[in-house]
């Protein structure tokens, strides 16, 4: 009998227990013997549950039990979750997590500790929830150099944008709907400002390019400024608006990485990804583009990825998975100044100013003095400089890249 523990009994933590319980027979066949959840760590009282006797409030019970070999960390945050994960690894226990914030900010340190103690630190659920993407990158696509990663990495923002696109709902009303449906938290900042997607693109970039991409240094823009006017304008251009996390490798080995809303042409596979679904496009130099699609969150979907990592750790207890990246000392993150993009610009002012300051690809007839501009490719620095000059003569009401 293999003994494991779960740290945290929120949505994902309770899901992890449920997966072990409902699929016990399949799990036993997979690893060759039964797996028992011996402890669940949480400060709240769950004694009324059928497995209430498994709950502990003292982390050291798990830390000091030699029977427990694999632990699920589904607490979230970088406080207690970081300390407990570190101590589990140092105690010779593998840890599997869905905690994207912890992986993005402390992953390289925790992977190093895992290596030093001959155990695994695994985090498939931290990026795509139930969508397998990290293991395919490390195994199925291991023979590739990665040229680009681009994806819809947050289901909440994708749901909001879908409501705006198809139902003409304002951003504020779509956010309220997302909260009522349980897709958005009471405080939705991490989703709508792009921080959640930023942590995910950093983890994918860490894995793809081998060094740390710090979320605090990665450009991050959310969807709070997008209006129904922008949605309608995008439609006229044959596009939809999506929040993308993107990293692009350059010839010198550096990479752009950022999160921002984009106009995507309707022919793109990413344009058809709607509601709470996520999709991640990975371009390998041997495979070309490969896309991973599914619900990026949800109790059992995320829990299944955590449990799969736990089973992998059990099967590889004598030979740890080789997962690692650097501490950021290679400085691979390239400033966005030189990234070339076509742009969508909504500008209130004079046509002559637009034509003077932007490389215009197309320009609409003005509506109440507002022009919709599609530019040819120009760098971020050039776009920012042009926007500053345009704002001195009128008002740039929106500016987004066109992918």
């Amino acid at each position: 009998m293999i003994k494991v523990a779960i740290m945290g009994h929120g949505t994902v933590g309770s899901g992890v227990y449920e997966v072990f319980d409902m699929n016990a027979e399949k799990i036993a066949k997979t690893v060759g013997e039964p797996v028992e959840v011996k402890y669940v760590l949480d400060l709240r009282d769950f004694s009324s549950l059928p497995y209430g006797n498994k709950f502990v409030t003292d982390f050291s019970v798990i830390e000091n039990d030699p029977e427990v070999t694999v632990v699920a960390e589904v607490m979230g945050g970088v406080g207690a979750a970081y300390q407990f994960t570190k101590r589990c690894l140092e105690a010779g226990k593998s840890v599997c997590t869905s905690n994207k914030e912890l992986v993005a900010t402390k992953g390289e340190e925790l992977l190093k500790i895992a290596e030093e103690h001959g155990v695994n630190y695994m985090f498939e659920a931290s990026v795509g929830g139930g969508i397998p993407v990290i293991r395919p990158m490390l195994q199925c696509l291991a023979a590739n150099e990665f040229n680009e990663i681009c994806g819809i990495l947050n289901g909440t923002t994708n749901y909001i944008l879908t409501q705006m696109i198809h139902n003409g709902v304002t951003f504020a009303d779509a956010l309220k709907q997302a909260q009522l449906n349980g897709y958005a938290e009471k405080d939705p900042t991490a989703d709508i400002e792009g921080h959640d997607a930023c942590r995910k693109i950093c983890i994918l970039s860490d894995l793809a390019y081998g060094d740390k991409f710090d979320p605090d240094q990665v450009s991050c823009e959310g969807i709070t400024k997008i209006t129904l006017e922008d949605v309608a304008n995008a439609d006229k251009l044959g596009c939809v608006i999506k929040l993308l996390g993107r990293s692009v490798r350059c010839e010198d080995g550096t990479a752009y990485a950022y999160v921002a809303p984009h106009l995507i042409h309707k022919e793109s596979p990413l344009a058809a990804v709607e509601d709470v679904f996520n999709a991640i496009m990975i371009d390998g130099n041997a495979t070309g583009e490969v896309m991973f699609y599914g619900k990026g969150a949800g109790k059992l979907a995320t829990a299944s990825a955590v449990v799969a990592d736990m089973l992998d750790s059990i099967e590889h207890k004598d030979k740890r998975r080789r997962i690692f990246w650097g501490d950021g000392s290679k400085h691979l993150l390239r400033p966005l100044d030189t990234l070339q993009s076509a742009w969508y610009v909504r500008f209130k002012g004079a046509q002559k100013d637009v034509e003077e300051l932007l490389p215009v690809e197309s320009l609409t007839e003005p509506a109440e003095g507002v022009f919709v501009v599609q530019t040819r490719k120009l760098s971020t620095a050039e776009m920012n400089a042009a926007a500053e000059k345009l704002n001195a003569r009128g008002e740039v009401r929106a500016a987004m890249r066109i992918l």
Side-chain angles (χ1 to χ4, degrees):
M1 176 79 73
I2 297 165
K3 306 293 177 72
V4 301
I6 303 168
M7 299 192 298
H9 196 260
T11 301
V12 179
S14 59
V16 169
Y17 190 93
E18 191 174 334
V19 170
F20 272 114
D21 185 52
M22 71 181 183
N23 293 336
E25 189 176 334
K26 169 67 171 17
I27 287 168
K29 286 180 180 176
T30 299
V31 298
E33 59 182 299
V35 179
E36 178 196 351
V37 177
K38 188 172 183 180
Y39 304 113
V40 181
L41 177 71
D42 204 290
L43 295 177
R44 295 165 293 178
D45 181 13
F46 289 102
S47 57
S48 60
L49 292 177
Y51 51 98
N53 62 325
K54 294 181 182 288
F55 281 84
V56 294
T57 57
D58 181 2
F59 163 71
S60 65
V61 173
I62 294 172
E63 180 183 25
N64 296 322
D65 189 333
E67 281 193 327
V68 174
T69 56
V70 181
V71 179
E73 184 277 293
V74 283
M75 302 167 66
V78 291
Y82 166 61
Q83 295 297 334
F84 293 172
T85 296
K86 188 175 176 181
R87 285 165 61 181
C88 279
L89 296 171
E90 289 170 344
K93 304 176 192 300
S94 291
V95 178
C96 304
T97 186
S98 59
N99 188 341
K100 64 192 75 70
E101 184 178 4
L102 183 57
V103 177
T105 56
K106 301 287 188 181
E108 79 286 353
E109 177 190 347
L110 295 171
L111 285 166
K112 188 175 181 182
I113 294 169
E115 181 180 19
E116 289 168 353
H117 291 84
V119 292
N120 291 296
Y121 181 56
M122 302 182 75
F123 41 88
E124 179 66 66
S126 68
V127 172
I131 306 169
V133 62
I134 290 174
R135 191 172 279 102
M137 281 182 71
L138 293 170
Q139 297 177 32
C140 310
L141 302 176
N144 285 258
E145 290 283 359
F146 296 107
N147 299 319
E148 181 174 351
I149 300 168
C150 181
I152 296 166
L153 300 172
N154 181 272
T156 301
T157 50
N158 205 43
Y159 173 84
I160 291 170
L161 290 172
T162 300
Q163 292 301 307
M164 294 176 73
I165 291 165
H166 290 300
N167 299 325
V169 178
T170 65
F171 169 81
D173 288 341
L175 173 57
K176 286 177 187 173
Q177 284 183 24
Q179 289 171 320
L180 287 171
N181 289 330
Y183 300 144
E185 300 287 343
K186 186 176 180 181
D187 178 2
T189 305
D191 292 324
I192 63 176
E193 296 292 356
H195 305 311
D196 176 79
C198 184
R199 291 163 187 155
K200 293 172 179 177
I201 197 62
C202 285
I203 294 168
L204 293 171
S205 299
D206 296 340
L207 289 164
Y209 312 125
D211 202 29
K212 181 176 182 175
F213 284 68
D214 189 335
D216 291 336
Q217 296 175 12
V218 169
S219 176
C220 182
E221 180 185 349
I223 64 169
T224 56
K225 296 176 184 176
I226 295 171
T227 66
L228 289 176
E229 192 175 350
D230 294 318
V231 169
N233 291 335
D235 184 60
K236 290 173 186 173
L237 293 171
C239 297
V240 293
I241 299 174
K242 296 291 183 184
L243 183 71
L244 299 180
R246 189 172 178 229
S247 72
V248 183
R249 188 172 183 268
C250 304
E251 287 185 5
D252 64 359
T254 62
Y256 300 109
Y258 67 98
V259 173
H262 290 66
L263 272 69
I264 303 177
H265 290 284
K266 291 179 182 178
E267 294 78 19
S268 166
L270 291 174
V273 178
E274 298 184 336
D275 291 320
V276 294
F277 283 82
N278 288 8
I280 303 156
M281 191 89 74
I282 298 178
D283 182 15
N285 68 343
T287 58
E289 288 185 342
V290 179
M291 191 167 94
F292 301 87
Y293 168 83
K295 284 187 178 179
K299 176 178 178 176
L300 292 182
T302 304
S304 73
V306 175
V307 173
D309 275 350
M310 295 174 79
L311 302 184
D312 198 349
S313 293
I314 290 167
E315 290 197 271
H316 291 87
K317 63 180 182 293
D318 299 321
K319 186 179 179 183
R320 64 177 297 277
R321 289 284 191 194
R322 284 185 54 78
I323 308 172
F324 57 90
W325 57 78
D327 60 4
S329 57
K330 294 180 183 176
H331 303 293
L332 295 184
L333 179 62
R334 188 183 184 106
L336 286 182
D337 292 358
T338 54
L339 177 62
Q340 297 276 327
S341 306
W343 290 79
Y344 155 85
V345 180
R346 180 160 55 88
F347 175 69
K348 183 176 176 63
Q351 181 173 340
K352 64 180 178 58
D353 293 330
V354 173
E355 292 176 332
E356 176 189 338
L357 295 170
L358 290 173
V360 176
E361 178 71 27
S362 67
L363 182 68
T364 65
E365 289 295 319
E368 298 180 358
V370 177
F371 294 89
V372 174
V373 187
Q374 185 176 359
T375 76
R376 295 189 293 277
K377 282 193 174 183
L378 70 162
S379 71
T380 307
E382 290 169 332
M383 182 64 231
N384 290 341
E388 188 175 345
K389 291 175 182 176
L390 286 168
N391 276 324
R393 305 181 191 185
E395 181 189 2
V396 176
R397 294 189 170 177
M400 285 179 268
R401 289 180 177 83
I402 303 172
L403 192 64

